[in-house]
Amino acid sequence: MGEGKQGALAVVELPNSSGQNPIAQMQNKFKELEAGFKLWLSKQSLPVEAAVVTATSGLQGAAIGGFMGTLTQDVSSSMPTPPAGANLNPQAMASFQQAQALAGGPLVQARNFAVMTGVNAGISCVLKRIRGKEDVQSSMAAAFGSGALFSLVSGMGGPNPVPNALTSGIFFALVQGGLFELGRKFSQPPAEDTHYVRTRSLLSSLGLQNYEKNFKKGLLTDTTLPLLTDRQDIDVRIPPGPRLLILDRIQRDPELRKR
């Protein structure tokens, strides 16, 4: 009887025996599917890849736009509608149409965001395949196309749709170009400091890499490393224990002793 209960408990605990988090398993599975989809997409022709990328990005934009539209639905419903016979000047009518485009319901915003994201992704895909790279020029060109088409579809152009579409495209391109350059600037790794390569290697081998900032503060570069004494270590506030290890390593290093 006891053995039967133990066997049942073993069977029950078997699914959790791997110790993996179910959420982590789902994330790994999603990453595998995403990698497989990208691999399949890279083997397709340019028209197929552009169509698939545009459609998937458009669906994502529609979902985001629909959610945003639920937040602005109350604003659009409370917005007054001009009478049919009202004689409004073109500028006032254009402003009203722009307000309607920005404060539309879920369907309107889903359409607007689908166009904006889908066109942007499609143009980026085509330019990347043709040019073989993704840079600020391609990013700005895609943003110009999405901004211009967004202006035409959303009705923000008013009585002069073409000039306003060009203006919107230029505005989108400038914003996208600025964001692209800003992101590239912050994503680049810091430049390697060539004056502390050997010092960094020495400290890392001793497990004292935290004291690299002390060397930099005292301007103790690789060139001054063979001349290092206990006095300089005290000046840059390195404790006695690490000081002894650093000086001993310098004395034992044949290359540093030769220098």
Side-chain angles (χ1 to χ4, degrees), residues 8-76:
L9 290 175
V11 173
V12 173
E13 293 177 356
L14 183 61
N16 295 328
S17 60
S18 60
Q20 293 184 356
N21 189 345
I23 298 178
Q25 291 180 351
M26 292 179 61
Q27 291 177 344
N28 293 334
K29 187 65 176 178
F30 178 77
K31 290 180 180 179
E32 292 177 1
L33 293 175
E34 185 180 13
F37 176 75
K38 289 183 177 179
L39 179 62
W40 171 83
L41 195 61
S42 63
K43 298 179 181 179
Q44 306 305 312
S45 61
L46 178 58
V48 173
E49 182 182 5
V52 172
V53 169
T54 302
T56 53
S57 299
L59 289 175
Q60 294 176 359
I64 297 173
F67 175 74
M68 296 293 294
T70 57
L71 303 178
T72 60
Q73 189 172 12
D74 295 336
V75 178
S76 60

Short mmCIF file of all heavy atoms in Angstrom, two decimals, residues 8-76:
data_model
loop_
_atom_site.label_atom_id
_atom_site.label_comp_id
_atom_site.label_asym_id
_atom_site.label_seq_id
_atom_site.Cartn_x
_atom_site.Cartn_y
_atom_site.Cartn_z
N ALA A 8 2.50 6.61 -6.98
CA ALA A 8 1.56 7.63 -7.49
C ALA A 8 2.15 9.01 -7.35
O ALA A 8 2.02 9.86 -8.23
CB ALA A 8 0.24 7.52 -6.73
N LEU A 9 2.82 9.27 -6.21
CA LEU A 9 3.45 10.58 -6.02
C LEU A 9 4.55 10.81 -7.02
O LEU A 9 4.73 11.92 -7.54
CB LEU A 9 4.01 10.68 -4.59
CG LEU A 9 2.98 10.77 -3.46
CD1 LEU A 9 3.69 10.74 -2.11
CD2 LEU A 9 2.15 12.05 -3.60
N ALA A 10 5.29 9.77 -7.34
CA ALA A 10 6.36 9.91 -8.33
C ALA A 10 5.79 10.25 -9.69
O ALA A 10 6.34 11.07 -10.43
CB ALA A 10 7.19 8.62 -8.40
N VAL A 11 4.65 9.62 -10.03
CA VAL A 11 4.02 9.92 -11.32
C VAL A 11 3.51 11.34 -11.36
O VAL A 11 3.62 12.04 -12.35
CB VAL A 11 2.88 8.91 -11.59
CG1 VAL A 11 2.12 9.30 -12.83
CG2 VAL A 11 3.46 7.51 -11.72
N VAL A 12 2.93 11.81 -10.25
CA VAL A 12 2.40 13.16 -10.20
C VAL A 12 3.50 14.19 -10.32
O VAL A 12 3.36 15.21 -10.98
CB VAL A 12 1.60 13.37 -8.89
CG1 VAL A 12 1.19 14.83 -8.75
CG2 VAL A 12 0.37 12.48 -8.89
N GLU A 13 4.65 13.94 -9.69
CA GLU A 13 5.73 14.92 -9.68
C GLU A 13 6.59 14.85 -10.91
O GLU A 13 7.49 15.67 -11.10
CB GLU A 13 6.62 14.70 -8.45
CG GLU A 13 5.91 14.99 -7.14
CD GLU A 13 6.80 14.69 -5.95
OE1 GLU A 13 7.92 14.19 -6.17
OE2 GLU A 13 6.35 14.94 -4.82
N LEU A 14 6.33 13.88 -11.81
CA LEU A 14 7.17 13.71 -12.98
C LEU A 14 7.19 14.91 -13.91
O LEU A 14 8.25 15.31 -14.38
CB LEU A 14 6.73 12.45 -13.74
CG LEU A 14 7.57 12.08 -14.97
CD1 LEU A 14 9.01 11.82 -14.53
CD2 LEU A 14 7.00 10.86 -15.68
N PRO A 15 6.03 15.58 -14.20
CA PRO A 15 6.06 16.72 -15.12
C PRO A 15 6.95 17.85 -14.62
O PRO A 15 7.49 18.61 -15.40
CB PRO A 15 4.59 17.15 -15.20
CG PRO A 15 3.82 15.92 -14.86
CD PRO A 15 4.64 15.22 -13.83
N ASN A 16 7.10 18.00 -13.31
CA ASN A 16 7.92 19.10 -12.78
C ASN A 16 9.34 18.67 -12.48
O ASN A 16 10.09 19.42 -11.87
CB ASN A 16 7.27 19.65 -11.50
CG ASN A 16 5.94 20.29 -11.79
OD1 ASN A 16 5.73 20.84 -12.86
ND2 ASN A 16 5.02 20.19 -10.83
N SER A 17 9.69 17.41 -12.85
CA SER A 17 11.02 16.92 -12.51
C SER A 17 12.11 17.67 -13.25
O SER A 17 13.25 17.71 -12.82
CB SER A 17 11.10 15.42 -12.82
OG SER A 17 10.85 15.20 -14.21
N SER A 18 11.79 18.25 -14.43
CA SER A 18 12.82 18.98 -15.17
C SER A 18 13.20 20.27 -14.49
O SER A 18 14.30 20.78 -14.70
CB SER A 18 12.31 19.29 -16.59
OG SER A 18 11.14 20.09 -16.53
N GLY A 19 12.33 20.82 -13.66
CA GLY A 19 12.63 22.04 -12.94
C GLY A 19 12.57 23.30 -13.78
O GLY A 19 13.04 24.35 -13.36
N GLN A 20 12.05 23.25 -15.00
CA GLN A 20 11.99 24.40 -15.89
C GLN A 20 10.69 25.17 -15.67
O GLN A 20 9.63 24.58 -15.42
CB GLN A 20 12.08 23.97 -17.35
CG GLN A 20 13.45 23.37 -17.70
CD GLN A 20 13.55 23.02 -19.18
OE1 GLN A 20 12.58 23.17 -19.92
NE2 GLN A 20 14.70 22.55 -19.60
N ASN A 21 10.80 26.46 -15.79
CA ASN A 21 9.64 27.32 -15.65
C ASN A 21 8.76 27.20 -16.89
O ASN A 21 9.25 27.30 -18.01
CB ASN A 21 10.12 28.77 -15.48
CG ASN A 21 8.97 29.69 -15.10
OD1 ASN A 21 7.81 29.33 -15.21
ND2 ASN A 21 9.32 30.88 -14.64
N PRO A 22 7.45 26.96 -16.73
CA PRO A 22 6.57 26.86 -17.91
C PRO A 22 6.59 28.12 -18.77
O PRO A 22 6.51 28.04 -20.00
CB PRO A 22 5.18 26.61 -17.29
CG PRO A 22 5.45 26.06 -15.94
CD PRO A 22 6.72 26.68 -15.48
N ILE A 23 6.71 29.28 -18.14
CA ILE A 23 6.76 30.52 -18.91
C ILE A 23 8.04 30.57 -19.74
O ILE A 23 8.03 30.98 -20.92
CB ILE A 23 6.67 31.74 -17.98
CG1 ILE A 23 5.34 31.73 -17.22
CG2 ILE A 23 6.83 33.03 -18.75
CD1 ILE A 23 5.18 32.87 -16.24
N ALA A 24 9.15 30.14 -19.14
CA ALA A 24 10.41 30.11 -19.89
C ALA A 24 10.34 29.12 -21.05
O ALA A 24 10.88 29.38 -22.13
CB ALA A 24 11.56 29.74 -18.95
N GLN A 25 9.66 28.00 -20.84
CA GLN A 25 9.50 27.03 -21.92
C GLN A 25 8.69 27.62 -23.06
O GLN A 25 9.03 27.44 -24.24
CB GLN A 25 8.81 25.78 -21.39
CG GLN A 25 9.67 24.95 -20.44
CD GLN A 25 8.94 23.72 -19.93
OE1 GLN A 25 7.74 23.57 -20.15
NE2 GLN A 25 9.66 22.84 -19.25
N MET A 26 7.63 28.36 -22.74
CA MET A 26 6.83 28.99 -23.78
C MET A 26 7.64 30.05 -24.52
O MET A 26 7.54 30.18 -25.75
CB MET A 26 5.58 29.62 -23.15
CG MET A 26 4.59 28.63 -22.59
SD MET A 26 3.15 29.43 -21.83
CE MET A 26 2.48 30.31 -23.24
N GLN A 27 8.46 30.81 -23.79
CA GLN A 27 9.30 31.82 -24.43
C GLN A 27 10.31 31.17 -25.37
O GLN A 27 10.53 31.66 -26.49
CB GLN A 27 10.01 32.66 -23.38
CG GLN A 27 9.08 33.57 -22.58
CD GLN A 27 9.81 34.34 -21.49
OE1 GLN A 27 10.94 33.98 -21.13
NE2 GLN A 27 9.18 35.36 -20.95
N ASN A 28 10.92 30.09 -24.93
CA ASN A 28 11.87 29.39 -25.79
C ASN A 28 11.20 28.83 -27.04
O ASN A 28 11.76 28.89 -28.14
CB ASN A 28 12.55 28.26 -25.01
CG ASN A 28 13.44 28.78 -23.89
OD1 ASN A 28 13.94 29.90 -23.96
ND2 ASN A 28 13.62 27.97 -22.86
N LYS A 29 9.99 28.30 -26.85
CA LYS A 29 9.25 27.77 -28.00
C LYS A 29 8.90 28.88 -28.97
O LYS A 29 9.01 28.71 -30.20
CB LYS A 29 7.97 27.08 -27.50
CG LYS A 29 7.21 26.34 -28.58
CD LYS A 29 8.01 25.18 -29.11
CE LYS A 29 7.19 24.37 -30.13
NZ LYS A 29 7.99 23.25 -30.69
N PHE A 30 8.50 30.03 -28.45
CA PHE A 30 8.17 31.17 -29.31
C PHE A 30 9.40 31.64 -30.08
O PHE A 30 9.32 31.99 -31.26
CB PHE A 30 7.59 32.31 -28.47
CG PHE A 30 7.27 33.54 -29.26
CD1 PHE A 30 6.13 33.61 -30.04
CD2 PHE A 30 8.12 34.63 -29.23
CE1 PHE A 30 5.84 34.75 -30.77
CE2 PHE A 30 7.84 35.77 -29.95
CZ PHE A 30 6.69 35.84 -30.73
N LYS A 31 10.56 31.67 -29.40
CA LYS A 31 11.79 32.09 -30.07
C LYS A 31 12.17 31.12 -31.18
O LYS A 31 12.64 31.53 -32.24
CB LYS A 31 12.92 32.21 -29.05
CG LYS A 31 12.78 33.38 -28.09
CD LYS A 31 13.93 33.43 -27.11
CE LYS A 31 13.78 34.61 -26.16
NZ LYS A 31 14.90 34.67 -25.17
N GLU A 32 11.95 29.82 -30.94
CA GLU A 32 12.24 28.84 -31.98
C GLU A 32 11.33 29.03 -33.18
O GLU A 32 11.78 28.98 -34.34
CB GLU A 32 12.07 27.43 -31.41
CG GLU A 32 13.11 27.05 -30.37
CD GLU A 32 12.87 25.68 -29.78
OE1 GLU A 32 11.89 25.03 -30.22
OE2 GLU A 32 13.63 25.25 -28.90
N LEU A 33 10.05 29.27 -32.92
CA LEU A 33 9.11 29.51 -34.03
C LEU A 33 9.47 30.78 -34.78
O LEU A 33 9.41 30.83 -36.02
CB LEU A 33 7.68 29.60 -33.48
CG LEU A 33 7.10 28.30 -32.90
CD1 LEU A 33 5.73 28.58 -32.29
CD2 LEU A 33 7.00 27.23 -33.97
N GLU A 34 9.85 31.81 -34.04
CA GLU A 34 10.22 33.07 -34.68
C GLU A 34 11.47 32.91 -35.54
O GLU A 34 11.54 33.43 -36.66
CB GLU A 34 10.45 34.14 -33.61
CG GLU A 34 10.73 35.52 -34.17
CD GLU A 34 10.96 36.55 -33.08
OE1 GLU A 34 11.13 36.15 -31.92
OE2 GLU A 34 10.96 37.75 -33.39
N ALA A 35 12.46 32.17 -35.02
CA ALA A 35 13.67 31.94 -35.80
C ALA A 35 13.38 31.12 -37.05
O ALA A 35 13.91 31.41 -38.13
CB ALA A 35 14.73 31.24 -34.93
N GLY A 36 12.52 30.11 -36.92
CA GLY A 36 12.14 29.32 -38.08
C GLY A 36 11.39 30.13 -39.11
O GLY A 36 11.61 29.98 -40.33
N PHE A 37 10.51 31.02 -38.65
CA PHE A 37 9.76 31.87 -39.57
C PHE A 37 10.68 32.83 -40.31
O PHE A 37 10.55 33.04 -41.52
CB PHE A 37 8.69 32.65 -38.79
CG PHE A 37 7.93 33.63 -39.63
CD1 PHE A 37 6.96 33.19 -40.52
CD2 PHE A 37 8.17 34.98 -39.52
CE1 PHE A 37 6.25 34.10 -41.30
CE2 PHE A 37 7.47 35.89 -40.29
CZ PHE A 37 6.51 35.46 -41.18
N LYS A 38 11.64 33.42 -39.58
CA LYS A 38 12.58 34.34 -40.24
C LYS A 38 13.46 33.60 -41.24
O LYS A 38 13.78 34.15 -42.30
CB LYS A 38 13.44 35.03 -39.17
CG LYS A 38 12.69 36.05 -38.34
CD LYS A 38 13.61 36.73 -37.35
CE LYS A 38 12.87 37.80 -36.56
NZ LYS A 38 13.74 38.49 -35.58
N LEU A 39 13.86 32.37 -40.91
CA LEU A 39 14.66 31.58 -41.84
C LEU A 39 13.87 31.27 -43.10
O LEU A 39 14.40 31.37 -44.22
CB LEU A 39 15.12 30.29 -41.15
CG LEU A 39 15.96 29.34 -42.00
CD1 LEU A 39 17.26 30.01 -42.41
CD2 LEU A 39 16.24 28.05 -41.24
N TRP A 40 12.61 30.89 -42.93
CA TRP A 40 11.77 30.62 -44.10
C TRP A 40 11.56 31.88 -44.92
O TRP A 40 11.60 31.85 -46.16
CB TRP A 40 10.42 30.08 -43.63
CG TRP A 40 9.41 29.97 -44.74
CD1 TRP A 40 9.28 28.95 -45.64
CD2 TRP A 40 8.41 30.93 -45.08
NE1 TRP A 40 8.26 29.21 -46.52
CE2 TRP A 40 7.71 30.43 -46.20
CE3 TRP A 40 8.04 32.17 -44.55
CZ2 TRP A 40 6.66 31.12 -46.78
CZ3 TRP A 40 7.00 32.86 -45.13
CH2 TRP A 40 6.31 32.34 -46.24
N LEU A 41 11.36 33.00 -44.26
CA LEU A 41 11.10 34.25 -44.96
C LEU A 41 12.32 34.71 -45.75
O LEU A 41 12.18 35.28 -46.84
CB LEU A 41 10.70 35.32 -43.95
CG LEU A 41 10.03 36.60 -44.51
CD1 LEU A 41 8.75 36.26 -45.22
CD2 LEU A 41 9.76 37.57 -43.37
N SER A 42 13.52 34.47 -45.21
CA SER A 42 14.73 34.91 -45.91
C SER A 42 14.96 34.14 -47.20
O SER A 42 15.71 34.60 -48.07
CB SER A 42 15.94 34.74 -44.99
OG SER A 42 16.14 33.38 -44.66
N LYS A 43 14.34 32.96 -47.35
CA LYS A 43 14.50 32.15 -48.56
C LYS A 43 13.47 32.48 -49.63
O LYS A 43 13.52 31.91 -50.73
CB LYS A 43 14.42 30.67 -48.19
CG LYS A 43 15.52 30.20 -47.24
CD LYS A 43 15.36 28.74 -46.90
CE LYS A 43 16.46 28.28 -45.93
NZ LYS A 43 16.31 26.84 -45.57
N GLN A 44 12.51 33.34 -49.33
CA GLN A 44 11.46 33.68 -50.28
C GLN A 44 11.91 34.79 -51.22
O GLN A 44 12.91 35.47 -50.99
CB GLN A 44 10.18 34.10 -49.54
CG GLN A 44 9.69 33.09 -48.52
CD GLN A 44 9.48 31.71 -49.10
OE1 GLN A 44 8.86 31.55 -50.15
NE2 GLN A 44 10.01 30.69 -48.43
N SER A 45 11.16 34.97 -52.29
CA SER A 45 11.44 36.05 -53.22
C SER A 45 11.10 37.39 -52.59
O SER A 45 10.39 37.47 -51.58
CB SER A 45 10.65 35.86 -54.52
OG SER A 45 9.24 35.89 -54.25
N LEU A 46 11.59 38.45 -53.19
CA LEU A 46 11.37 39.79 -52.64
C LEU A 46 9.90 40.15 -52.55
O LEU A 46 9.46 40.67 -51.51
CB LEU A 46 12.14 40.82 -53.46
CG LEU A 46 11.98 42.29 -53.04
CD1 LEU A 46 12.40 42.48 -51.59
CD2 LEU A 46 12.79 43.20 -53.96
N PRO A 47 9.09 39.91 -53.58
CA PRO A 47 7.66 40.25 -53.45
C PRO A 47 6.96 39.50 -52.32
O PRO A 47 6.14 40.07 -51.59
CB PRO A 47 7.07 39.89 -54.82
CG PRO A 47 8.23 39.95 -55.77
CD PRO A 47 9.40 39.48 -54.97
N VAL A 48 7.28 38.21 -52.18
CA VAL A 48 6.64 37.42 -51.12
C VAL A 48 7.06 37.93 -49.75
O VAL A 48 6.24 38.11 -48.84
CB VAL A 48 6.99 35.93 -51.29
CG1 VAL A 48 6.46 35.12 -50.11
CG2 VAL A 48 6.41 35.39 -52.59
N GLU A 49 8.36 38.17 -49.57
CA GLU A 49 8.85 38.64 -48.28
C GLU A 49 8.25 40.00 -47.94
O GLU A 49 7.81 40.23 -46.80
CB GLU A 49 10.37 38.75 -48.30
CG GLU A 49 10.96 39.20 -46.97
CD GLU A 49 12.46 39.35 -47.01
OE1 GLU A 49 13.04 39.22 -48.10
OE2 GLU A 49 13.05 39.63 -45.94
N ALA A 50 8.20 40.90 -48.93
CA ALA A 50 7.64 42.23 -48.67
C ALA A 50 6.16 42.15 -48.32
O ALA A 50 5.68 42.85 -47.42
CB ALA A 50 7.85 43.14 -49.89
N ALA A 51 5.42 41.28 -49.02
CA ALA A 51 3.99 41.14 -48.74
C ALA A 51 3.74 40.57 -47.35
O ALA A 51 2.87 41.05 -46.61
CB ALA A 51 3.34 40.25 -49.80
N VAL A 52 4.52 39.56 -46.97
CA VAL A 52 4.33 38.93 -45.65
C VAL A 52 4.70 39.92 -44.54
O VAL A 52 3.98 40.06 -43.54
CB VAL A 52 5.17 37.65 -45.55
CG1 VAL A 52 5.13 37.10 -44.12
CG2 VAL A 52 4.66 36.60 -46.52
N VAL A 53 5.83 40.62 -44.70
CA VAL A 53 6.26 41.57 -43.68
C VAL A 53 5.25 42.70 -43.56
O VAL A 53 4.90 43.14 -42.44
CB VAL A 53 7.66 42.12 -44.02
CG1 VAL A 53 8.01 43.30 -43.13
CG2 VAL A 53 8.70 41.03 -43.88
N THR A 54 4.75 43.20 -44.68
CA THR A 54 3.77 44.28 -44.64
C THR A 54 2.48 43.83 -43.96
O THR A 54 1.91 44.57 -43.14
CB THR A 54 3.45 44.76 -46.07
OG1 THR A 54 4.66 45.20 -46.70
CG2 THR A 54 2.46 45.91 -46.06
N ALA A 55 2.03 42.61 -44.29
CA ALA A 55 0.79 42.12 -43.70
C ALA A 55 0.92 41.90 -42.20
O ALA A 55 0.05 42.32 -41.42
CB ALA A 55 0.37 40.82 -44.39
N THR A 56 1.99 41.24 -41.78
CA THR A 56 2.16 40.97 -40.34
C THR A 56 2.34 42.27 -39.54
O THR A 56 1.76 42.43 -38.46
CB THR A 56 3.37 40.06 -40.12
OG1 THR A 56 4.53 40.61 -40.76
CG2 THR A 56 3.11 38.68 -40.69
N SER A 57 3.11 43.19 -40.08
CA SER A 57 3.29 44.47 -39.38
C SER A 57 1.99 45.27 -39.38
O SER A 57 1.68 45.95 -38.40
CB SER A 57 4.40 45.29 -40.04
OG SER A 57 5.64 44.60 -39.98
N GLY A 58 1.24 45.18 -40.47
CA GLY A 58 -0.05 45.87 -40.50
C GLY A 58 -1.03 45.32 -39.48
O GLY A 58 -1.76 46.07 -38.84
N LEU A 59 -1.01 43.99 -39.30
CA LEU A 59 -1.89 43.39 -38.29
C LEU A 59 -1.49 43.84 -36.88
O LEU A 59 -2.35 44.11 -36.04
CB LEU A 59 -1.84 41.87 -38.40
CG LEU A 59 -2.52 41.25 -39.64
CD1 LEU A 59 -2.28 39.75 -39.68
CD2 LEU A 59 -4.01 41.55 -39.63
N GLN A 60 -0.20 43.89 -36.63
CA GLN A 60 0.26 44.37 -35.32
C GLN A 60 -0.14 45.83 -35.10
O GLN A 60 -0.60 46.21 -34.02
CB GLN A 60 1.78 44.22 -35.22
CG GLN A 60 2.25 42.78 -35.22
CD GLN A 60 3.77 42.67 -35.23
OE1 GLN A 60 4.47 43.67 -35.25
NE2 GLN A 60 4.28 41.45 -35.23
N GLY A 61 0.04 46.65 -36.14
CA GLY A 61 -0.37 48.05 -36.02
C GLY A 61 -1.86 48.20 -35.82
O GLY A 61 -2.32 49.07 -35.07
N ALA A 62 -2.65 47.34 -36.49
CA ALA A 62 -4.11 47.41 -36.34
C ALA A 62 -4.51 47.07 -34.91
O ALA A 62 -5.43 47.70 -34.34
CB ALA A 62 -4.78 46.45 -37.32
N ALA A 63 -3.84 46.08 -34.32
CA ALA A 63 -4.15 45.73 -32.94
C ALA A 63 -3.83 46.89 -32.00
O ALA A 63 -4.62 47.23 -31.11
CB ALA A 63 -3.37 44.48 -32.54
N ILE A 64 -2.68 47.52 -32.21
CA ILE A 64 -2.31 48.66 -31.36
C ILE A 64 -3.27 49.82 -31.59
O ILE A 64 -3.73 50.47 -30.64
CB ILE A 64 -0.86 49.10 -31.66
CG1 ILE A 64 0.10 47.97 -31.30
CG2 ILE A 64 -0.51 50.36 -30.89
CD1 ILE A 64 1.53 48.25 -31.70
N GLY A 65 -3.60 50.08 -32.85
CA GLY A 65 -4.53 51.17 -33.14
C GLY A 65 -5.91 50.94 -32.59
O GLY A 65 -6.57 51.87 -32.11
N GLY A 66 -6.38 49.68 -32.66
CA GLY A 66 -7.69 49.39 -32.09
C GLY A 66 -7.73 49.63 -30.60
O GLY A 66 -8.72 50.15 -30.06
N PHE A 67 -6.64 49.25 -29.92
CA PHE A 67 -6.57 49.51 -28.48
C PHE A 67 -6.52 51.00 -28.19
O PHE A 67 -7.19 51.49 -27.27
CB PHE A 67 -5.34 48.81 -27.89
CG PHE A 67 -5.11 49.11 -26.44
CD1 PHE A 67 -5.92 48.55 -25.47
CD2 PHE A 67 -4.11 49.98 -26.05
CE1 PHE A 67 -5.72 48.83 -24.12
CE2 PHE A 67 -3.90 50.27 -24.71
CZ PHE A 67 -4.71 49.70 -23.74
N MET A 68 -5.74 51.75 -28.96
CA MET A 68 -5.67 53.19 -28.77
C MET A 68 -7.02 53.85 -29.07
O MET A 68 -7.41 54.82 -28.43
CB MET A 68 -4.59 53.79 -29.67
CG MET A 68 -3.18 53.33 -29.34
SD MET A 68 -2.61 53.91 -27.74
CE MET A 68 -2.53 55.67 -28.05
N GLY A 69 -7.73 53.29 -30.05
CA GLY A 69 -9.03 53.84 -30.40
C GLY A 69 -10.05 53.70 -29.30
O GLY A 69 -10.94 54.54 -29.15
N THR A 70 -9.95 52.61 -28.52
CA THR A 70 -10.87 52.47 -27.39
C THR A 70 -10.64 53.55 -26.33
O THR A 70 -11.57 53.92 -25.61
CB THR A 70 -10.70 51.09 -26.74
OG1 THR A 70 -9.34 50.92 -26.32
CG2 THR A 70 -11.03 49.99 -27.73
N LEU A 71 -9.41 54.05 -26.25
CA LEU A 71 -9.11 55.11 -25.29
C LEU A 71 -9.59 56.47 -25.76
O LEU A 71 -9.91 57.33 -24.94
CB LEU A 71 -7.59 55.16 -25.02
CG LEU A 71 -6.95 53.86 -24.50
CD1 LEU A 71 -5.46 54.05 -24.33
CD2 LEU A 71 -7.59 53.44 -23.19
N THR A 72 -9.63 56.67 -27.08
CA THR A 72 -10.04 57.97 -27.62
C THR A 72 -11.47 57.97 -28.14
O THR A 72 -11.91 58.95 -28.71
CB THR A 72 -9.10 58.37 -28.77
OG1 THR A 72 -9.17 57.37 -29.81
CG2 THR A 72 -7.67 58.49 -28.29
N GLN A 73 -12.19 56.86 -27.92
CA GLN A 73 -13.55 56.78 -28.45
C GLN A 73 -14.48 57.81 -27.81
O GLN A 73 -15.32 58.41 -28.47
CB GLN A 73 -14.11 55.37 -28.25
CG GLN A 73 -15.44 55.12 -28.95
CD GLN A 73 -15.85 53.67 -28.89
OE1 GLN A 73 -15.26 52.90 -28.13
NE2 GLN A 73 -16.84 53.29 -29.66
N ASP A 74 -14.31 58.02 -26.52
CA ASP A 74 -15.16 58.99 -25.84
C ASP A 74 -14.92 60.40 -26.37
O ASP A 74 -15.84 61.21 -26.48
CB ASP A 74 -14.90 58.95 -24.34
CG ASP A 74 -15.29 57.62 -23.73
OD1 ASP A 74 -16.15 56.94 -24.33
OD2 ASP A 74 -14.75 57.27 -22.66
N VAL A 75 -13.67 60.69 -26.72
CA VAL A 75 -13.35 62.02 -27.25
C VAL A 75 -14.01 62.23 -28.60
O VAL A 75 -14.57 63.29 -28.89
CB VAL A 75 -11.83 62.20 -27.35
CG1 VAL A 75 -11.47 63.56 -27.94
CG2 VAL A 75 -11.18 62.03 -25.97
N SER A 76 -13.91 61.21 -29.47
CA SER A 76 -14.50 61.35 -30.80
C SER A 76 -16.02 61.43 -30.76
O SER A 76 -16.64 62.11 -31.56
CB SER A 76 -14.06 60.18 -31.69
OG SER A 76 -14.50 58.95 -31.13
#
